Amino acid sequence: MLLLILFSCNGNKNSNESAQAEKENNESSILPDSLFKFNMSKIDILIDTGFARTIEKKELVTLDSIQKAHFIGGLGKMYDRGIEIPYRFFTARFVSKLEKRGDLTPIIIDMGGDDYGSLLYILLDNKSDPVSYYKLWGGFCAGEDEGKDGTLVQCPERTSLIKADGIYSYITTERIKVHSGPTLVDSVRYFTKILPSGKIETNRIDSTRYVRKTKK
């Protein structure tokens, strides 16, 4: 009887290990490490304009139409500043695969097209299907907009810091007087919590406004 119990326990253990190995093999075959040229496995990862410019100079692996339909299209309709993102007409490139968060695998994808450029943080389940996403940097920007008071409103600049407890983002917007006067700078800070289910919750932490001399 004891031998039967031991054999049963050992059999269950082997079965669980085989299932886990099969799951990892399936995931790696769909999303091999060779697709990603940036090794960013550590936490405290800063994603800013400097990082985006570095990416522009790198030869990254481009998503084909099937991969775009799966990893980006699988997220459903996506909007930025109220405009639907026509991802089918944009170029998308694999950037990095990060450390897993529970059963979820985060990847970073660079996507760009006319008046648009962004770095997307996409969460994948154990089948490499997309669950949710968060914009780390960029977005739609056609240049300066003229405000009602005669100021020029620059495109919002987003910076994100990926940490163990979530993602901290800072969005800075500059309003510049056309002829004279100081520049008004608004900075809003957000914290994004990633739930075990893959759901993303973003909350505003605080905001600051300050004035500085306009650059000439």
Side-chain angles (χ1 to χ4, degrees):
M1 184 68 174
L2 180 60
L3 289 174
L4 287 175
I5 294 174
L6 290 174
F7 180 78
S8 176
C9 291
N10 190 54
N12 290 335
K13 180 181 178 181
N14 291 337
S15 177
N16 291 335
E17 290 177 350
S18 298
Q20 178 66 22
E22 183 178 356
K23 182 175 75 172
E24 292 176 356
N25 287 336
N26 289 337
E27 181 179 335
S28 62
S29 64
I30 297 173
L31 205 64
D33 292 341
S34 59
L35 292 175
F36 305 94
K37 303 303 181 183
F38 278 81
N39 180 10
M40 300 166 59
S41 59
K42 297 181 179 180
I43 60 172
D44 294 359
I45 300 167
L46 181 65
I47 307 294
D48 59 5
T49 299
F51 181 76
R53 287 173 179 167
T54 299
I55 284 178
E56 290 178 357
K57 302 174 184 177
K58 298 290 183 179
E59 292 186 7
L60 303 179
V61 177
T62 301
L63 280 72
D64 59 29
S65 58
I66 295 175
Q67 290 170 326
K68 278 200 295 184
H70 179 78
F71 293 112
I72 301 175
L75 294 165
K77 289 187 177 181
M78 303 165 65
Y79 295 87
D80 190 294
R81 301 180 74 181
I83 304 172
E84 184 176 353
I85 302 173
Y87 73 90
R88 294 180 183 84
F89 305 106
F90 288 169
T91 298
R93 303 185 299 165
F94 292 106
V95 177
S96 184
K97 180 163 60 172
L98 309 182
E99 286 185 353
K100 297 190 71 167
R101 289 183 178 267
D103 291 331
L104 301 169
T105 300
I107 63 172
I108 296 177
I109 286 180
D110 169 47
M111 187 165 66
D114 291 341
D115 297 330
Y116 184 85
S118 69
L119 288 167
L120 302 178
Y121 178 96
I122 299 176
L123 287 167
L124 308 175
D125 63 18
N126 55 23
K127 296 181 181 178
S128 291
D129 292 330
V131 176
S132 56
Y133 80 99
Y134 181 75
K135 183 178 68 176
L136 297 170
W137 174 89
F140 276 112
C141 183
E144 300 171 332
D145 295 324
E146 186 171 351
K148 295 180 181 179
D149 58 352
T151 60
L152 292 178
V153 182
Q154 302 277 38
C155 292
E157 190 168 310
R158 179 185 292 256
T159 298
S160 294
L161 179 63
I162 304 171
K163 297 179 70 70
D165 61 341
I167 302 171
Y168 293 84
S169 295
Y170 307 81
I171 300 177
T172 302
T173 305
E174 295 187 2
R175 293 173 172 82
I176 304 171
K177 291 290 185 181
V178 178
H179 301 294
S180 62
T183 296
L184 186 65
V185 182
D186 287 321
S187 180
V188 185
R189 190 161 61 113
Y190 297 90
F191 174 67
T192 297
K193 186 177 181 180
I194 302 166
L195 303 181
S197 63
K199 183 178 179 181
I200 289 178
E201 292 183 350
T202 300
N203 294 294
R204 178 170 170 166
I205 301 175
D206 56 33
S207 62
T208 58
R209 171 174 285 185
Y210 59 93
V211 175
R212 65 171 172 76
K213 186 176 180 181
T214 301
K215 296 177 182 178
K216 293 184 179 180

